[in-house]
Amino acid sequence: KGNQVFCITHLAQIACFADSHYKVQKFDADNKTMVNVNSLDLESRYAELDRMIGGGSEYSKLHAIELVNESNSFKNQI
């Protein structure tokens, strides 16, 4: 609780534990690699976790929401 950790992951099961969630995107522009970092609100976070799960279905979106809720419950216990 008293420390700060910056974690980059492709696993929704890890990302769901974040207190703040950012989406990092790399792209090429003018023969240079650029990076875009955006802070995600709750709905965008659900959508990103859904994408990380391999989603696109109603079940994967519900699973993303469940991951966040369960991780919050766990964090509140410690």
Side-chain angles (χ1 to χ4, degrees), residues 3-74:
N3 297 310
Q4 181 177 7
V5 175
F6 189 83
C7 176
I8 298 173
T9 184
H10 291 96
L11 296 173
Q13 295 86 344
I14 301 296
C16 68
F17 281 91
D19 292 327
S20 300
H21 197 139
Y22 298 88
K23 183 175 182 178
V24 179
Q25 296 172 292
K26 280 190 338 183
F27 60 96
D28 293 325
D30 299 325
N31 293 324
K32 295 180 183 177
T33 301
M34 307 294 284
V35 176
N36 190 17
V37 180
N38 291 308
S39 178
L40 301 180
D41 62 14
L42 188 57
E43 286 302 315
S44 298
R45 184 177 183 195
Y46 292 151
E48 183 59 18
L49 290 170
D50 178 26
R51 187 195 66 77
M52 293 170 79
I53 293 168
S57 72
E58 188 61 32
Y59 294 111
S60 60
K61 182 175 182 178
L62 291 173
H63 184 56
I65 293 168
E66 182 180 20
L67 283 173
V68 171
N69 291 338
E70 289 295 321
S71 67
N72 286 338
S73 292
F74 179 80

